[in-house]
């Protein structure tokens, strides 16, 4: 059995780098380039309005640090850098800065500015953390490398033997740390998975070949508590109703798991080999998204790299059923569900909006 997708709209994104983010159930396109982070409203793009709804001057050059996050009211953006997290207002004013140890694995410095290490060969390919702004705009969640600027670095500190990484909740107003938890990880990168409620979300950390720890955190206004859900699962998405988390195995990319939130209990699984009938097929990382609370669209390909026999599927997480999605024209872009019954695929500089 197959389902046929219907093309609703095609929009072209200015520039060649962009990614989709959903803030407060609103889909926005973030496009960094030329030292500026531009934010586009997907609904306005569909209606032909191509001007950005906000723009933020970046505190360091393009390609430095991880992906930025924006507040739901577009008052400020948060940039995770190599040596600091910075909150920047639309005017370019620095709202606050949280300086931390350098994400370059061999560096033990706490830099004051990007200029301290700009262009140096040993800082060319640093690791990076990630950030997120809560849906109520009151807190910023950040995965950073310690020690922090206000802390003393031990003389015998060895970043290879004693990695100090932390998950922090900070005030969105002034950057004051409200809660902090050690992750006991050695990250190459990380990303946050937002929850519709502002007091909780997930953090997925990639450690290269060593694993991929997945965490759930909650901040009740006083206490920050975290739960390590697993060491070999890559978080992919949280359902629009906040009741389900989807992950795929780090070492077993052919298995996609459905977790109950916030316990992390696995309530069901989808096996790429059974879905496709080919034991070489895997789930593509990041190529999925919820259409609604019970259904999501996901992609498989040979070896899960996004190339070679790329196929899209409708997954029902309540019934644990799978149906292939067919398109009226060739589609190779990753699917991104928007939670309203529609999804996007990126085809070069174009985004295509689909429904069933």
């Amino acid at each position: 059995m197959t389902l046929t997708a219907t093309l609703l709209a095609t929009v072209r994104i200015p520039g060649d780098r962009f990614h989709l983010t959903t803030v407060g159930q609103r889909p926005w396109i973030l496009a960094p380039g030329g030292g500026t982070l531009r934010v586009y409203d997907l609904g306005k793009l569909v209606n032909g309005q191509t001007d950005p709804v906000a723009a933020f001057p970046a505190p360091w050059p393009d390609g430095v640090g991880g992906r930025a996050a924006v507040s739901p009211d577009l008052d400020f953006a948060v940039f995770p850098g190599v040596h600091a997290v910075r909150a920047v207002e639309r005017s370019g004013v620095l709202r606050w800065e949280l300086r931390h140890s350098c994400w370059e694995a061999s560096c033990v410095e706490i830099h004051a500015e990007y200029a301290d290490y700009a262009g140096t060969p040993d800082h060319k390919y640093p690791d990076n953390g990630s950030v997120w702004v809560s849906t109520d705009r009151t807190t910023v969640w950040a995965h950073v490398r310690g020690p922090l600027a206000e802390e003393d670095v031990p003389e015998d500190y060895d970043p290879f033997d004693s990695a100090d990484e932390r998950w922090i909740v900070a005030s969105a107003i002034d950057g004051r740390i409200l809660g902090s938890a050690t992750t006991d990880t050695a990250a190459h990168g990380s990303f946050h998975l937002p929850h519709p409620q502002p007091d909780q979300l997930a953090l997925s950390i990639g450690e290269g070949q060593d694993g991929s720890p997945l965490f759930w955190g909650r901040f009740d206004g006083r206490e920050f508590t975290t739960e390590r859900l697993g060491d070999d699962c890559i978080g992919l998405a949280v359902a629009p109703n906040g009741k389900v988390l989807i992950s795929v195995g780090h070492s077993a990319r052919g298995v996609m798991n459905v977790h109950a939130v916030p316990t992390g209990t696995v309530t069901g699984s989808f096996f790429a080999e059974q879905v496709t009938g080919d034991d070489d097929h895997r789930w593509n990382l990041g190529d999925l998204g919820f259409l609604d609370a019970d259904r999501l669209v996901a992609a498989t390909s040979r070896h899960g790299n996004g190339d070679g026999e790329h196929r899209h599927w409708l997954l029902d997480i309540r019934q644990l059923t799978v149906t292939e999605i067919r398109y009226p024209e060739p589609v190779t872009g990753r699917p991104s569900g928007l939670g309203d019954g529609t999804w996007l695929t990126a085809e070069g500089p174009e985004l295509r909006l689909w429904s069933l």
Side-chain angles (χ1 to χ4, degrees):
M1 179 179 175
T2 61
L3 294 169
T4 301
T6 298
L7 181 63
L8 301 179
T10 299
V11 298
R12 189 176 183 89
I13 306 298
D16 57 359
R17 295 177 58 226
F18 59 87
H19 70 276
L20 173 73
T21 184
T22 303
V23 181
Q25 303 303 313
R26 293 189 60 185
W28 286 336
I29 309 298
L30 272 56
T36 301
L37 176 69
R38 295 175 178 84
V39 183
Y40 297 90
D41 186 300
L42 179 61
K44 291 183 177 181
L45 285 174
V46 169
N47 291 324
Q49 302 177 45
T50 58
D51 292 334
V53 294
F56 302 89
W60 28 72
D62 299 342
V64 174
R67 285 182 174 179
V70 296
S71 65
D73 55 7
L74 299 181
D75 275 357
F76 66 96
V78 183
F79 295 83
V82 177
H83 77 284
V85 173
R86 286 185 176 178
V88 179
E89 299 182 359
R90 294 167 70 167
S91 64
V93 171
L94 177 65
R95 176 176 286 198
W96 51 262
E97 177 184 57
L98 174 63
R99 288 170 52 211
H100 53 73
S101 294
C102 182
W103 273 109
E104 163 52 43
S106 62
C107 184
V108 296
E109 299 295 327
I110 297 181
H111 306 292
E113 295 289 343
Y114 170 70
D116 292 351
Y117 54 90
T120 58
D122 58 343
H123 285 72
K124 192 173 183 179
Y125 301 109
D127 301 322
N128 62 267
S130 58
V131 295
W132 190 257
V133 183
S134 65
T135 55
D136 64 359
R137 310 181 302 279
T138 62
T139 57
V140 171
W141 302 58
H143 172 221
V144 302
R145 194 178 190 209
L148 305 182
E150 63 270 18
E151 300 171 345
D152 294 328
V153 180
E155 292 184 3
D156 60 348
Y157 175 68
D158 185 339
F160 291 108
D161 294 335
S162 54
D164 178 7
E165 294 177 10
R166 310 176 195 182
W167 196 10
I168 286 173
V169 180
S171 166
I173 297 175
D174 55 16
R176 176 172 47 92
I177 296 177
L178 305 175
S180 178
T182 59
T183 59
D184 294 321
T185 52
H188 288 297
S190 69
F191 52 91
H192 286 76
L193 298 169
H195 188 275
Q197 297 300 320
D199 63 342
Q200 57 190 298
L201 45 71
L203 173 67
S204 189
I205 298 177
E207 297 183 304
Q209 65 181 7
D210 295 329
S212 183
L214 179 62
F215 297 85
W216 193 265
R218 182 187 293 271
F219 179 65
D220 64 5
R222 297 180 302 276
E223 184 181 6
F224 181 38
T225 57
T226 64
E227 182 77 20
R228 192 166 179 138
L229 302 184
D231 295 322
D232 191 57
C233 48
I234 303 170
L236 297 179
V238 175
N241 62 8
K243 296 181 179 180
V244 170
L245 167 68
I246 302 296
S247 77
V248 68
H250 174 262
S251 58
R253 290 266 298 280
V255 182
M256 182 183 295
N257 291 318
V258 181
H259 303 260
V261 171
T263 63
T265 303
V266 175
T267 60
S269 300
F270 296 95
F271 299 90
E273 178 182 352
Q274 294 179 3
V275 168
T276 64
D278 189 332
D279 58 8
D280 284 336
H281 273 247
R282 303 289 185 270
W283 297 106
N284 294 350
L285 293 181
D287 290 10
L288 89 168
F290 278 90
L291 298 186
D292 51 41
D294 297 325
R295 302 179 303 161
L296 58 89
V297 59
T300 59
S301 65
R302 290 183 65 83
H303 310 299
N305 296 322
D307 51 4
E309 300 183 21
H310 191 81
R311 300 164 71 181
H312 291 182
W313 309 87
L314 181 72
L315 279 58
D316 187 311
I317 61 174
R318 184 182 294 272
Q319 303 295 329
L320 295 180
T321 58
V322 182
T323 308
E324 186 167 8
I325 298 173
R326 297 290 177 87
Y327 293 89
E329 56 188 78
V331 167
T332 59
R334 57 174 49 190
S336 300
L338 301 180
D340 62 355
T342 66
W343 74 96
L344 294 171
T345 60
E347 311 294 330
E350 290 184 345
L351 285 176
R352 297 178 187 174
L353 181 65
W354 304 90
S355 71
L356 291 173

